[in-house]
Amino acid sequence: MQPGFSILCFQASADLPFLVFYQRKGVMHAAASLLNSSNLSLRFASQTQTRLSPWIAAPSSVRLPLNRSQNYRIALPPLHSTVSGDSTQPQQMASADVKAQDPRIAGISSAIRVIPDFPKPGIMFQDITTLLLDTKAFRDTIDLFVERYKDKNISVVAGIEARGFIFGPPIALAIGAKFVPMRKPKKLPGEVISEEYSLEYGKDVMEMHVGAVQAGERALIVDDLVATGGTLSAAIRLLERVGVHVVECACVIELPELKGRERLGEKPLFVLVS
């Protein structure tokens, strides 16, 4: 196959033939010879091509860095939401406590905007700022977390910089816990305790104020998204070093293809949308 050339197969339903499209130099085309052999109209094929065009990714030869500060999925379509307590489901909703027909989940998923080719070509950026603009979806997001943790005797909600600062404080207030920011180096003015962690290309450091938490407290770690799991793992280690029991990690979005859940070991992870 030529470099920069990729193929996508699409089947509208079980009783219809496959449509085959190919991408070359960033442009998707219908494979006309196959379309002509089917009973599908060219108008339908054109509409299908238009709808699928935003989902075509950059050639697989492009290697992009995995950085937790970038909320993206590589070469994947926009988010869809399903509810399942089974982690083997392809579109996972990590909550056995959220009812399968809860309409809030679909609203949250649809409020998250996917921006292609940001910050680099081939990246589908998961933008939660549109969720924040939707007051109902934002409220539902907080409510779902609060409903899960209000009776778990949690005294600390630790939010990871930076979007963990958005979701963490309202959860903490609602369940009667204190909020502790987990920050990047040289952001906290007082004495800090630090934890270094590895990224795919280099290292980073997470810091927390000394005395912000006490040994024996029960903590919830909050962030907007889990990708490779490196940052969540560092937050767990940092809290456990001072004797805090981490009850669970909670994120709005999970990118399961990056296998961040595996990096957390046995520590539970709760997410709303995969």
Side-chain angles (χ1 to χ4, degrees):
M1 184 176 292
Q2 298 178 4
F5 186 97
S6 59
I7 292 177
L8 172 70
C9 295
F10 174 78
Q11 190 175 28
S13 63
D15 58 342
L16 291 176
F18 277 95
L19 301 179
V20 179
F21 300 97
Y22 68 89
Q23 180 195 14
R24 188 175 184 182
K25 296 182 179 179
V27 180
M28 188 172 72
H29 309 271
S33 61
L34 290 179
L35 290 175
N36 290 339
S37 66
S38 73
N39 294 324
L40 299 174
S41 68
L42 289 177
R43 178 181 179 185
F44 173 78
S46 177
Q47 292 173 347
T48 304
Q49 175 178 343
T50 301
R51 293 181 63 190
L52 290 177
S53 292
W55 292 9
I56 300 301
S60 58
S61 60
V62 177
R63 181 172 177 80
L64 298 170
L66 298 178
N67 188 315
R68 74 149 306 276
S69 65
Q70 299 172 345
N71 289 6
Y72 61 77
R73 59 171 57 186
I74 300 174
L76 292 175
L79 290 173
H80 297 281
S81 176
T82 60
V83 180
S84 172
D86 182 358
S87 62
T88 63
Q89 293 298 317
Q91 295 176 347
Q92 179 182 355
M93 180 66 58
S95 171
D97 298 339
V98 178
K99 294 181 180 179
Q101 300 303 319
D102 193 325
R104 295 177 293 179
I105 297 299
I108 293 167
S109 179
S110 63
I112 299 169
R113 175 171 59 178
V114 179
I115 301 179
D117 299 323
F118 180 84
K120 295 182 179 181
I123 293 177
M124 303 295 283
F125 185 87
Q126 311 301 316
D127 180 19
I128 56 96
T129 63
T130 48
L131 171 65
L132 306 179
L133 296 174
D134 187 328
T135 56
K136 183 180 186 308
F138 189 16
R139 183 185 300 110
D140 288 344
T141 300
I142 301 302
D143 286 348
L144 284 167
F145 287 128
V146 171
E147 289 166 13
R148 181 173 179 85
Y149 298 114
K150 62 183 180 180
D151 297 321
K152 293 189 180 294
N153 194 30
I154 290 171
S155 58
V156 176
V157 174
I160 294 177
E161 188 171 352
R163 285 171 287 269
F165 297 174
I166 296 172
F167 299 100
I171 296 171
L173 285 173
I175 66 175
K178 60 186 176 184
F179 177 76
V180 176
M182 314 284 279
R183 301 218 62 183
K184 295 178 181 178
K186 300 180 180 180
K187 297 291 186 180
L188 293 171
E191 183 182 359
V192 298
I193 179 173
S194 303
E195 180 70 28
E196 185 178 87
Y197 61 100
S198 298
L199 302 171
E200 187 175 4
Y201 299 99
K203 295 181 180 296
D204 208 342
V205 175
M206 179 180 298
E207 295 183 342
M208 175 180 67
H209 267 143
V210 171
V213 296
Q214 305 299 322
E217 288 195 282
R218 291 167 56 84
L220 168 69
I221 300 175
V222 175
D223 204 355
D224 69 318
L225 177 142
V226 53
T228 63
T231 310
L232 285 178
S233 297
I236 293 170
R237 294 194 301 272
L238 186 55
L239 289 166
E240 289 183 341
R241 278 172 54 193
V242 293
V244 173
H245 172 60
V246 177
V247 176
E248 197 162 84
C249 299
C251 298
V252 180
I253 306 167
E254 178 184 12
L255 306 184
E257 66 280 354
L258 298 182
K259 300 182 179 181
R261 182 181 293 269
E262 297 178 7
R263 195 166 179 178
L264 303 183
E266 297 181 356
K267 194 63 63 178
L269 171 66
F270 176 80
V271 298
L272 299 180
V273 176
S274 286

